[in-house]
Amino acid sequence: MFFGLVKGEGARTGRCKAIRTVLVVEDEPLVAFDNEHALEQAGYRIAATVDDYSHAIAVIDGGGVDLVIADVSLKGDRSGIDVARHAATKGLPVLFVTGACPIDARALALGCLAKPYAPRDLVAAIGVIDALLRGARRPRLPVGLTLFDTAD
């Protein structure tokens, strides 16, 4: 299946990236698989792909994660919002990937990518977050991405 990415495309800017390792928090198996595949093809390392709060927290606490992408709805009693709250205590940036971004997400994440999205839009959204973290000129926003910074 072609996702609109060229193998090695993410390696062009590899050395100056702020985001190299991503934690995928997603409870829909097919979406999780697509996310993993697209991110790996773009040159990102996947710290883990998990579908619930407790596993996400374990990976975050283990260190080595540069960005958390999280769905809001997860398996179990805790949500992606709870994951984002924990990530904030560790200083980790969060990008929500969800169908309906809740109001309180603005305080917990850098942005929200609306489902459904194309894998190339996920990669582009992470590129935008990466540019923001590095203080670089922000690239064009992909379809469905809302940033929560005051400049927008």
Side-chain angles (χ1 to χ4, degrees):
M1 178 180 281
F2 180 67
F3 291 111
L5 301 170
V6 177
K7 188 168 177 114
E9 187 174 327
R12 286 191 305 227
T13 59
R15 220 170 51 159
C16 60
K17 283 185 176 183
I19 299 169
R20 291 191 176 124
T21 303
V22 178
L23 169 60
V24 178
V25 185
E26 173 63 61
D27 67 339
E28 296 178 41
L30 291 177
V31 173
F33 174 80
D34 284 349
N35 288 349
E36 252 188 42
H37 183 74
L39 295 176
E40 286 174 341
Q41 290 296 308
Y44 294 100
R45 181 180 168 274
I46 306 301
T49 300
V50 299
D51 63 0
D52 65 18
Y53 174 84
S54 61
H55 286 106
I57 297 316
V59 175
I60 290 170
D61 288 347
V65 175
D66 299 318
L67 175 69
V68 176
I69 62 167
D71 191 359
V72 171
S73 300
L74 301 175
K75 290 186 177 188
D77 296 336
R78 308 291 293 267
S79 71
I81 301 266
D82 297 313
V83 171
R85 282 191 186 107
H86 187 77
T89 68
K90 304 292 184 182
L92 282 176
V94 174
L95 173 65
F96 283 118
V97 288
T98 187
C101 204
I103 291 289
D104 55 348
R106 288 185 169 273
L108 299 169
L110 294 174
C112 186
L113 182 62
K115 284 182 176 177
Y117 54 83
R120 70 180 167 273
D121 291 331
L122 174 62
V123 172
I126 292 173
V128 170
I129 299 296
D130 186 86
L132 290 174
L133 293 173
R134 290 184 292 112
R137 185 173 157 267
R138 189 187 79 195
R140 190 173 72 96
L141 298 183
V143 174
L145 177 62
T146 302
L147 293 179
F148 297 148
D149 65 3
T150 56
D152 291 332

